[in-house]
Amino acid sequence: MNVISPTTTNEFIFSYNHLTQVVDIVPGTSKAIYDRSQLGFTFQELYPLSNVDNRAPVLNNCCNGTFTGGSFHPSWHSEARQFTWTDNVTKVLGSHIIKAGVFFDYNQAGQQPVWQDTTFIDFSTGASNPNDTGNYLGNVFTGYYNQLQQSNGVFFGAFRFHQVEAFGQDTWKVNRKLTLDYGLRWAYLGPTYTVQPFFQNYFDPARYNPANAVTLNTTQGNYFGAICSPALAALPDGASCQGLSNFGDPFNGIVQEGHGIPPGFADHKYANFGPRVGFAYDLFGDGKTAIRGGFGVFYERIRQNVNSFDGLGNPPLSYTPTIFGQRIDNLNPGLVTGIRSPVNLNAFAKQGQIPTTYGYSLGVQRELPWRMGLDVTYTGNLARHLQYQYNLQATPVGSFLTPPPGGLPFVAAYQGYNNINFTKYDANSSYNGLQVKLMRRFTNRLTLTADYTWSRAMDITDSDTPGADPGVPGGSSGGNLTDPFHPHLDWAPAGFDRTHVFNLNYVYSLPELRSSGALKYLLGGWQVSGITRFWTGTPLNVYMSGSDTYNGNAGNFIGLVRPDRGSGSAYLDQGNHVNWLNPAAFVAPADGTVGNIRRNAFRGPGINNWDISLFKNINFSESRYLQLRLESFNTFNHTQPANVNTTFTAPGEGQPVDAHSTTQGANSGNINGYRNPRNVQLGIKLYF
């Protein structure tokens, strides 16, 4: 801070932050339990350099499970270095306080996509294993595998972004009753881009040329569905590829960083202006009633985890070949033929709109008798250009009631790829709430705060990553959306929305009876405190899933289907703290539909909770005292349901979903989680 003059100051701030995350084998772990050499594995690997920790092979589909290292294999790490510079100038001019400043952020991040570090081997039985013994372990002992995979490298990416902001504002005390704040902020939030040694490969639908589309192999066998190539056409299992004059481009639509695109692929947005205005008005001029309001436009950076950090997993950089039906002793890098199959991609819209929020509020604050204050405020926001992710290869609802042989890649719009996890910036959200708060400062032994909020939050998805929405099955290949062709059908209360929220917290010091000696310590110094919450429940997102014959069939390669609404009440009597939704009110939808119940159509259990504590303070001096604490949580031991099973299943389309009396529907719509019962704890604290 530099005081230039009595009316002018300059503030300069520089900061540096460094973050490192590592997922690795715990130091000190004996190599005898994971090292392939010490465990006696002598066969070669396809890509020895990928196996950073020389980890033993993984046996897929073995022994009632999969022996696997998890999605984050050892030696995975992530790091980030952030350099920021801030310079602000403040000038007092009469009744004006003028501020202006700049902010610069340079970010260096590094991370690698998940890879198959060691050899993943499947010794399954079946016709695809030419030397099958008829038994999984028999195949293990003889060394004849069905198929085998390993990734071609560890690609630790170097990611960068720049961010520049500037602002100017004026706080103007118009008169003794009115103060205005107004200003303008400009922001450039540059897209994340990659630098050497590995450049990200981006998929651009506009660059995809149907004339260069690949052809998929239709010959039954190990390479059914693989991308036709000269190497595949030379094999008997690639007979359908023989005679092709044009094999197409297996990387159709993919463009690498630095090749005719702006850094980070997305369009750079410079016109990000955020006006801000606010006021405070002393209504009666006595300092007891104030009216405050404000409006502002705010911009948010696109989250790197969605678009960038997994982007190095896109081809052609990352490649995980599959080797079929041979003996493990003969495994060697020479078996990699370059034959490729359709893979999943991570992609995003080139327009790269910046998520934008418009926030506003208007409130009245009033000083009340008995050292109390009342605050009544309406607040809200509208958000535009929020991220959401969906499968770009999805088809319209009802397109394929019977999936074609080979599945989605054979009918996909972008041939040569499987699911394309595509991020778009067209999601909206809104929040509007009335907030009332009553406060009492500590006086006459009592302090308390009571607040009530009546609000509604709306959106089409709660998250920018697939399967992260409450109640959406994680395996849904369509991301968070029911129908990507009509995303606004999912416009509904947000998964975290609570219509009514009431909180009360207080501390009350009990009156001290006049006493002396031991009675003084026994009868004085008692306090009661508590927190009380009454909240309505969050939305429930019901969908079809279960063990019966029919869970819906949308025919769009997404798999997210909700039931149709039948007759009768959707809720059961909840007095037994078991039932919640009524299966009799739901019907399985017809094939080729997604059900007529919308996202988040019902409400789950609320909260009715009392936490009460009793404290006893024993004073030794003005600054030293002993505190005895008796604390109770859920004091009255209310049974408080927390979660509801929102999945339903049925014997067939158009039929009622399975009732509680059936094995398949026994838990449908029932409460399946509870908040904690009463908990009491005793404690002693010494303050000095």
Side-chain angles (χ1 to χ4, degrees), residues 553-635:
N553 179 14
N556 61 348
F557 296 99
I558 290 179
L560 180 56
V561 177
R562 296 185 177 88
D564 283 340
R565 184 70 167 88
S567 59
S569 173
Y571 299 94
L572 291 172
D573 179 78
Q574 293 131 19
N576 62 2
H577 303 301
V578 173
N579 301 133
W580 196 265
L581 295 177
N582 179 18
F586 302 100
V587 177
D591 278 349
T593 69
V594 292
N596 61 20
I597 292 177
R598 300 285 288 270
R599 166 179 172 261
N600 292 346
F602 306 100
R603 288 281 169 171
I607 295 177
N608 174 357
N609 188 74
W610 298 71
D611 299 333
I612 301 176
S613 300
L614 179 65
F615 302 151
K616 164 63 177 171
N617 297 319
I618 302 175
N619 296 317
F620 301 125
S621 67
E622 186 174 344
S623 61
R624 292 182 297 170
Y625 64 96
L626 186 71
Q627 186 179 75
L628 308 179
R629 304 168 64 93
L630 172 64
E631 298 172 286
S632 63
F633 305 93
N634 190 5
T635 303

Side-chain angles (χ1 to χ4, degrees), residues 15 57 73 82 92 97 106 122 188 197 260 345 349 354 386 439 446 509 522 584 638 660:
S15 68
H73 299 311
Q82 185 178 35
V92 179
I97 301 176
Y106 175 53
D122 183 357
Y188 163 73
L345 294 180
I354 306 297
L386 301 181
M439 299 156 288
L446 175 65
S509 296
L522 180 63
H638 287 149
H660 285 155

